[in-house]
Each structure stands twice: as structure tokens, then as C-alpha cells.
Amino acid sequence: MPVFEALLITKPESGYRCELTQLDEAQLPAAGDVTVRVDCSTINYKDGLAITGKSPVVRSFPMVPGIDFAGSVTQSDHPKWKPGDRVLLNGFGVGEAHWGGLSQMARVKGDWLVALPDTLSEREAMSLGTAGYTAMLCVQALQKHWAEAGVAAGSGEVLVTGAGGGVGSVAISLLAGLGHTVVASTGRPQEADYLKSLGAASVIDRNELSAPGKPLQKERWIGVVDSVGSHTLANACASTRYGGAVAACGLAQGMDLPASVAPFILRGITLHGIDSVMAPMARREAAWDALAKTINREQLASITTEIALPDAIAAGSQILAGQVRGRLVVKLKA
């Protein structure tokens, strides 16, 4: 049986290990009804946690990490899919409890797959990946809120935190493309020109938001996309304008929320929790359809760096250290 390359995480007595290895199809999980030849995967923050073991993301061993992949079906016992279908996958515990996408082959449940939009290549899909898909879920939540509240594009500033990361980079591009005035918050001031090239009108230092702040602050934002959490999210809520909305999707600074109820009961702001892992299929398909129709391909290319599978191990540490700009695509097709 032909062999293929994959990253494999094990937990021997000596500790936690992630290494490049060779497997064959017989070793793929039995709990799956569709086999996919993976063309591209990607490195997200959660993948960094899995690869390094810095957080207990992986729930069984051995484990192939990678919460995303795009490729083509090679074998299917699922009625929706047939060999040759182009598909993508995000979340559903893949790369955590079920072998994931940092592998040249994957076997998963067909119910987890999304048809790859005709206008997106596998590389573009993984240039977006869970980060881009999550950014779109955030933007769609804000758009729905603004539509119901009668807030027009350009009527105020929208804050994007963690702006240099994958979610932030795509969110800036999407929001600016919709006509919004975007303010990017980053801890890397050297990335200001890059963020402005994506459409940010201005860039602020993350230190303006990352320390403990007052429960209510000067009203500024009509909306926020936050991938940081902790004090940053608390301060974002405290400075959101009356009736505005915050979409929270990450915890790079921490899982805590040291906030007060004041912005919610005195200014009527809304905090939208954005979950990409178990989002219903209809919401997933709508998000990917919107990405295929609206993403700026030129900007998408500018935020993407392609790496090979062996490089993904080092990239896991780099993304946790905040050293990755935009998106990393892992090329797997031989």
C-alpha cells in the first residue's frame, strides 16, 4: 500500500513529541467514510498549540494535527461525495480528537466536508482556512447587527484586534472592502504598512487596549472583531458606541474576561460569541460562499506564505510567539 507523509503527535513516557513520519492508508482512522487526498493545509493558532503541546488541544494519541484541509475525494461511502469532488474541512474536532489535515491523506466523516467553491483553488481556500472562515463569521455577525440597527458602512470606526494574524488580516480586508473605516490594533508596529495595504485606515498599538481599563470608556467603535480576549476584549467592549457590537473569536491574550456589565446595560452593546468549530453546515456554506465572492484575491496573496510540511513543526512555535504575519499555507500535494 502506498505510503504518504504526515505530522504525527505522540506522547511517550519521555514527553510530548511532534514529528514528520510516513503512514499508509490502512493506518487512517476507521471512524470516517470519505478518504481525501490533501492538496493544502494551513497553520492556525490552535495548530500551534497542538504541535507544541503548550495547551491540551490534542485529546487522544497518536494524533495527526491540522484543523483544516482542502483536497479531492479518492474514496467515499457517503452519499453526498464521490471520487474527484473538491472539498474542504474546518474544525469538527479534526486535529484534536480525529486525525487532521497536516497529512497528504485524510479519512473523515462526509458530514464534516464542505464543497470547495468553484472559484476558489485549494491554495486560496487554505490561504483563508479556519482563520479566514472565522473572520467571515465575525463580519457576517456584525453585518446582521448593523442592518438591524440601521448602521451604514462608513458611519464609524471598526476595530480589529490581533490585526497582524490570520483572522485579523482577513477581517481588515473584508471590512475595508465593504466600505468600513478600519482601525487595526497590533503589537508589531513594523507591520503598519502591511495592515494599511489591506485597507486599515489607521493602526494603533495593542498596549492601548491590553492593560486593565475603566468599565466605561469614550465611545469610539461601531463594531469590533476581537481575536485576543482578556483585557483587550474588555476594553473593546468598554469603548464601543451605543448600540454597537463586538464579535469575539479568540483568546491570544487569555480566556478571562475582566469586564463589567456597564457597556451592556448602559450602552446596549451586543457581544457575539463566534464559534467556527461546530458551526452548523448552513452557516459554514454561507460563509465560504461569501468568501469566494468577496475576498480580494490580490490581498489574499499578499497575506499568504507557502511552506512545506516539514516546516510546519517550527511554524507551530512561531505562530504562538506572534512571529507569523497573515496566513501560512502548507503544501502537501506531491
Side-chain angles (χ1 to χ4, degrees):
M1 185 171 287
V3 298
F4 58 89
E5 289 191 329
L7 294 192
L8 192 69
I9 297 172
T10 55
K11 199 173 184 181
E13 290 184 8
S14 57
Y16 190 97
R17 184 180 301 158
C18 180
E19 56 192 349
L20 184 67
T21 189
Q22 290 192 328
L23 303 170
D24 63 52
E25 287 192 39
Q27 294 173 275
L28 290 172
D33 50 14
V34 180
T35 304
V36 179
R37 185 195 70 239
V38 179
D39 291 339
C40 295
S41 185
T42 180
I43 303 292
N44 298 283
Y45 193 86
K46 186 180 283 187
D47 298 314
L49 294 174
I51 289 168
T52 62
K54 293 291 178 64
S55 183
V57 167
V58 177
R59 300 197 289 276
S60 66
F61 299 90
M63 177 59 60
V64 172
I67 64 174
D68 293 323
F69 67 72
S72 299
V73 172
T74 61
Q75 188 275 332
S76 174
D77 294 320
H78 191 284
K80 185 175 179 179
W81 308 108
K82 65 183 186 303
D85 286 345
R86 298 167 66 243
V87 294
L88 62 87
L89 185 146
N90 311 106
F92 283 118
V94 169
E96 302 172 71
H98 185 99
W99 282 19
L102 287 169
S103 168
Q104 291 177 318
M105 299 294 295
R107 183 174 294 134
V108 296
K109 294 183 179 181
D111 290 343
W112 299 341
L113 295 169
V114 173
L116 186 62
D118 290 340
T119 56
L120 280 180
S121 68
E122 287 80 1
R123 186 181 191 277
E124 288 172 329
M126 290 299 99
S127 293
L128 293 161
T130 284
Y133 151 64
T134 302
M136 178 54 83
L137 291 176
C138 290
V139 170
Q140 288 178 323
L142 293 180
Q143 283 182 295
K144 182 179 179 183
H145 180 93
W146 289 329
E148 293 172 352
V151 176
S155 61
E157 295 177 309
V158 182
L159 172 68
V160 175
T161 68
V167 173
S169 295
V170 177
I172 291 169
S173 177
L174 292 171
L175 288 163
L178 291 167
H180 292 284
T181 303
V182 181
V183 177
S185 168
T186 181
R188 293 178 277 177
Q190 68 273 20
E191 300 288 12
D193 288 343
Y194 160 73
L195 297 171
K196 289 179 179 178
S197 76
L198 298 179
S202 59
V203 179
I204 63 173
D205 193 296
R206 70 181 178 195
N207 289 331
E208 293 185 30
L209 298 163
S210 61
K214 295 180 180 179
L216 276 180
Q217 300 169 26
K218 181 179 179 181
E219 295 181 60
R220 184 168 182 182
W221 323 113
I222 60 168
V224 179
V225 173
D226 176 66
S227 60
V228 178
S230 192
H231 291 292
T232 297
L233 176 55
N235 287 320
C237 290
S239 52
T240 294
R241 283 167 38 176
Y242 187 92
V246 177
C249 65
L251 43 69
Q253 187 179 4
M255 289 184 67
D256 58 322
L257 181 55
S260 119
V261 299
F264 305 100
I265 63 175
L266 298 180
R267 290 183 181 164
I269 76 160
T270 299
L271 178 59
H272 294 275
I274 305 299
D275 166 56
S276 62
V277 178
M278 301 304 293
M281 186 55 66
R283 193 177 300 162
R284 291 168 181 271
E285 291 173 340
W288 278 105
D289 181 63
L291 284 166
K293 291 176 179 175
T294 62
I295 193 66
N296 183 311
R297 298 305 209 276
E298 215 172 286
Q299 290 180 349
L300 184 61
S302 75
I303 72 173
T304 302
T305 301
E306 186 176 291
I307 63 174
L309 183 58
D311 301 324
I313 297 174
S317 297
Q318 291 163 0
I319 198 167
L320 296 187
Q323 297 170 350
V324 173
R325 171 205 274 187
R327 302 285 295 131
L328 292 177
V329 167
V330 183
K331 184 180 179 182
L332 289 155
K333 188 175 181 179

